[in-house]
Amino acid sequence: MDKERKLIIAGNWKMNKTVAEAIDLAQGLKRELGNLKDVDIVLCPPFTALGEVSKVILDSTLRLGAQNMSEHNVGAYTGEIAAVMLKDFSVRYVILGHSERRQYQKETDDLVARKALTAFNGSLIPIVCVGETLAERQAGQTENVVGTQIRGSLAALSKEQAIETVIAYEPVWAIGTGHTASPAQAQAVHAFIRRTLAEIYGEPAARKIRIQYGGSVKPANAHELMTQPDVDGALVGGASLEQRSFVDIIKNSI
Ligand code: PEP
């Protein structure tokens, strides 16, 4: 597929997979996808499996991502993981501000902004998640909510850092529900996000920033979503837990 920006497709395994299961899935994905160069593929296992998955994908084009990290660099923060610890496992990307963390851990745009800056300072690329709830969409608040999240969550970054950042538009009502945004709905919000990025960083910078869609992406809907002009990849939850479906999403996207 001829896209303006290189596609980036990430699998968010969430709180699934023991180490043995994670190795098994990573080995299978490496066999089928490990030589692909025209799409960036990122596996985001739980922290406990990062070390072993890192070893499995070492000599492949697959990249490693974490699902969260601390805004602090070191110190008395029980239960937290620092950027430098992720670098121990050659982690390249880190998902920040996922809607589940915004909902259950009450993460705010301000916290996500601080984490994003800490990520860059630790040589990690943030995947910053934004998205409206069903109630917000029904109230006509989608652009208001998503625009506020974008401005707030990227507030600490320079233009150069923003260009490197990956945005994941994930409508909360589409995550894990089987209700995917239609390609037109996704494109409309992605275009709005890019207009917002152009207002902040200028048009040339905004054209470089990759915006993933996330929310019940499956092999059957991947192609139509990925061919939208402002959709530059996917953040995949449920369908990334199984080799066949994740491979098919990627094959149907390129
Ligand atoms: C997600 O949680 O990032 C996600 C997109 O999940 P799912 O694909 O299961 O909707």
Side-chain angles (χ1 to χ4, degrees), residues 12 14 98 100 170 174-177 214-217 235-239:
N12 174 12
K14 308 193 184 186
H98 189 279
E100 286 152 16
E170 300 207 297
I175 296 179
T177 58
S216 298
V217 176
L235 182 53
V236 185

Side-chain angles (χ1 to χ4, degrees), residues 75-81:
Y77 302 102
T78 302
E80 294 292 314
I81 302 280

Side-chain angles (χ1 to χ4, degrees), residues 177-233:
T177 58
H179 300 301
T180 318
S182 69
Q185 283 174 321
Q187 168 56 27
V189 181
H190 282 232
F192 166 75
I193 291 173
R194 203 172 304 286
R195 287 200 300 278
T196 305
L197 294 169
E199 282 170 21
I200 308 171
Y201 303 108
E203 180 77 29
R207 288 175 70 93
K208 293 185 183 145
I209 299 174
R210 295 188 289 182
I211 308 173
Q212 296 176 312
Y213 169 78
S216 298
V217 176
K218 304 270 183 280
N221 59 28
H223 180 76
E224 230 195 321
L225 285 162
M226 294 309 118
T227 46
Q228 300 304 308
D230 286 291
V231 176
D232 310 311

Side-chain angles (χ1 to χ4, degrees), residues 40-117:
D40 288 330
I41 301 171
V42 184
L43 310 184
C44 304
F47 290 130
T48 47
L50 284 172
E52 291 302 319
V53 172
S54 169
K55 286 184 211 159
V56 172
I57 65 175
L58 197 59
D59 55 344
S60 79
T61 56
L62 304 181
R63 296 288 173 255
L64 198 57
Q67 299 174 20
N68 178 39
M69 54 162 259
S70 172
E71 72 274 32
H72 302 290
N73 290 321
V74 66
Y77 302 102
T78 302
E80 294 292 314
I81 302 280
V84 68
M85 298 167 184
L86 299 177
K87 291 306 287 183
D88 271 347
F89 299 123
S90 307
V91 170
R92 300 265 188 113
Y93 295 87
V94 58
I95 299 171
L96 297 178
H98 189 279
S99 70
E100 286 152 16
R101 295 201 63 84
R102 289 180 185 265
Q103 184 182 352
Y104 304 134
Q105 274 76 33
K106 306 287 174 242
E107 292 201 354
T108 61
D109 293 333
D110 178 59
L111 178 64
V112 176
R114 282 180 281 131
K115 289 188 177 193
L117 183 59

